[in-house]
Amino acid sequence: MLSRVAGIITIFFALAPSVQAGVGMLDQGESLYNGSVNFSGGNKHWDVQRQVITSVCQRRNASLLQGYEYGYSYFHTIFASVNFAYRRCGQINRAARVNPITGRVRPGFTLIGGPNAGIGDVQVGVRTRLNHRGTAAWEALLIIPTGYDNNNPSRLGRGALGLGLGLKFSSDVPNMLVKRSSWGWTLGTRYIYFFSGKGNVLTSFLETQYAFTTTDFQQTGDYAGLRINHSVSFGRNGLQRQLFFNQVPRSMTNSDQITVQLRYSHAFTGTGWSTSVHAGKTVFGRNNPIDYFAGMGLSYRWRD
């Protein structure tokens, strides 16, 4: 299949960071391409009591995230992204069932699977400024499920339509190269509601940044960031019996996790190009994998 080949050549929504800092607003007529390659893996996970458990197989995941944003007006930026993913090691828990005709009970079982590759979920949305300084914005987004196979343990995406709302705040005004301080920060939160009994997710992040050169933390200069990510997944009806320890998007399971990430970014002055590298680890969680992760990103800005 074409999607499978594409995934091999090349997720986590929403752990793959963009090389763009700030609140993600573009000027009218400005376009931005974002691409990032990400890797993660591990062989342990936390159970519902937060006990560390050795997984039955080693996780090895890779993804290529492709995104495009466009400044429709000064106040509105539209965005879209798609993820090509490779995932090895997955799990499906099948509950026991009773045949209504024969009355026979089919025992429950756990299915462990091998690698899977293809296109993950597609995301489209709009971001709107909350102030004229460009330091605050809110966003609304739609998650479109693609490439999902309910019978594959190493499933890509969530397999359900999702709607999301988010907020972003930043300390630095875009395009202001007067270095008031070497330090900056950005933070945000996003809540996503999934249909079809797949549970809901609340994610938040806080990043402290340090500038090595004069920078607006977006289009020019060099800076590093220390980022903390927190996510909570709310299973429908409080379900906790299912654990997809290698699905970046958890589903039908109450879970939470905290990750710590280091990032370094460089923007090439006057070219529109920016690049970044990052690495991190999941440090705390429940019903979640204990993974290391790393990746690199590239972006390009241009005007009509």
Side-chain angles (χ1 to χ4, degrees), residues 28-162:
Q28 185 172 355
E30 187 177 20
S31 294
L32 173 68
Y33 161 77
N34 275 316
S36 61
V37 180
N38 304 278
F39 305 93
S40 65
N43 64 349
K44 296 181 183 298
H45 63 274
W46 286 287
D47 64 10
V48 66
Q49 285 83 31
R50 303 190 190 277
Q51 301 296 315
V52 176
I53 305 297
T54 300
S55 303
V56 296
C57 55
Q58 292 186 337
R59 295 176 298 278
R60 296 294 183 267
N61 303 324
S63 66
L64 171 63
L65 181 68
Q66 301 285 290
Y68 172 76
E69 302 184 11
Y70 177 72
Y72 178 76
S73 68
Y74 177 78
F75 283 99
H76 302 288
T77 295
I78 57 177
F79 59 89
S81 65
V82 61
N83 196 29
F84 300 91
Y86 168 87
R87 185 166 296 142
R88 194 187 82 182
C89 180
Q91 172 180 325
I92 296 177
N93 289 341
R94 301 294 192 192
R97 295 182 181 180
V98 178
N99 189 309
I101 299 177
T102 64
R104 297 181 61 182
V105 177
R106 190 192 72 177
F109 64 94
T110 298
L111 177 64
I112 304 297
N116 187 22
I119 298 178
D121 294 341
V122 174
Q123 181 183 113
V124 295
V126 61
R127 200 172 290 125
T128 300
R129 295 180 191 268
L130 285 174
N131 58 24
H132 287 272
R133 300 177 67 242
T135 58
W138 72 274
E139 63 184 16
L141 57 103
L142 174 69
I143 296 179
I144 304 170
T146 59
Y148 182 85
D149 182 359
N150 189 57
N151 294 315
N152 192 314
S154 301
R155 289 175 282 196
L156 308 175
R158 197 177 278 266
L161 194 68

Side-chain angles (χ1 to χ4, degrees), residues 123-289:
Q123 181 183 113
V124 295
V126 61
R127 200 172 290 125
T128 300
R129 295 180 191 268
L130 285 174
N131 58 24
H132 287 272
R133 300 177 67 242
T135 58
W138 72 274
E139 63 184 16
L141 57 103
L142 174 69
I143 296 179
I144 304 170
T146 59
Y148 182 85
D149 182 359
N150 189 57
N151 294 315
N152 192 314
S154 301
R155 289 175 282 196
L156 308 175
R158 197 177 278 266
L161 194 68
L163 296 174
L165 289 174
L167 291 170
K168 287 187 175 183
F169 302 92
S170 177
S171 63
D172 280 78
V173 180
N175 305 317
M176 292 290 290
L177 296 181
V178 178
K179 192 175 181 181
R180 302 181 306 279
S181 172
S182 295
W183 293 94
W185 56 265
T186 181
L187 62 87
T189 186
R190 175 186 287 179
Y191 181 78
I192 298 179
Y193 175 84
F194 284 97
F195 298 92
S196 304
K198 294 295 183 177
N200 307 320
V201 180
L202 175 66
T203 60
S204 304
F205 75 90
L206 170 63
E207 181 173 310
T208 301
Q209 303 157 336
Y210 180 81
F212 297 99
T213 62
T214 300
T215 180
D216 63 356
F217 293 103
Q218 291 192 66
Q219 300 181 53
T220 186
D222 298 82
Y223 67 94
L226 173 63
R227 180 176 177 129
I228 298 176
N229 303 287
H230 177 257
S231 69
V232 180
S233 181
F234 307 96
R236 298 290 175 84
N237 302 318
L239 293 176
Q240 294 181 334
R241 64 177 179 272
Q242 297 187 14
L243 170 62
F244 303 104
F245 55 75
N246 193 31
Q247 277 191 275
V248 174
R250 272 71 57 191
S251 53
M252 295 181 67
T253 305
N254 290 332
S255 64
D256 57 79
Q257 70 170 8
I258 296 175
T259 65
V260 176
Q261 172 186 302
L262 288 173
R263 181 165 67 102
Y264 178 82
S265 295
H266 172 74
F268 300 91
T269 305
T271 67
W273 288 98
S274 299
T275 186
S276 70
V277 294
H278 69 271
K281 185 182 185 298
T282 308
V283 296
F284 185 75
R286 173 174 59 108
N287 278 350
N288 256 301

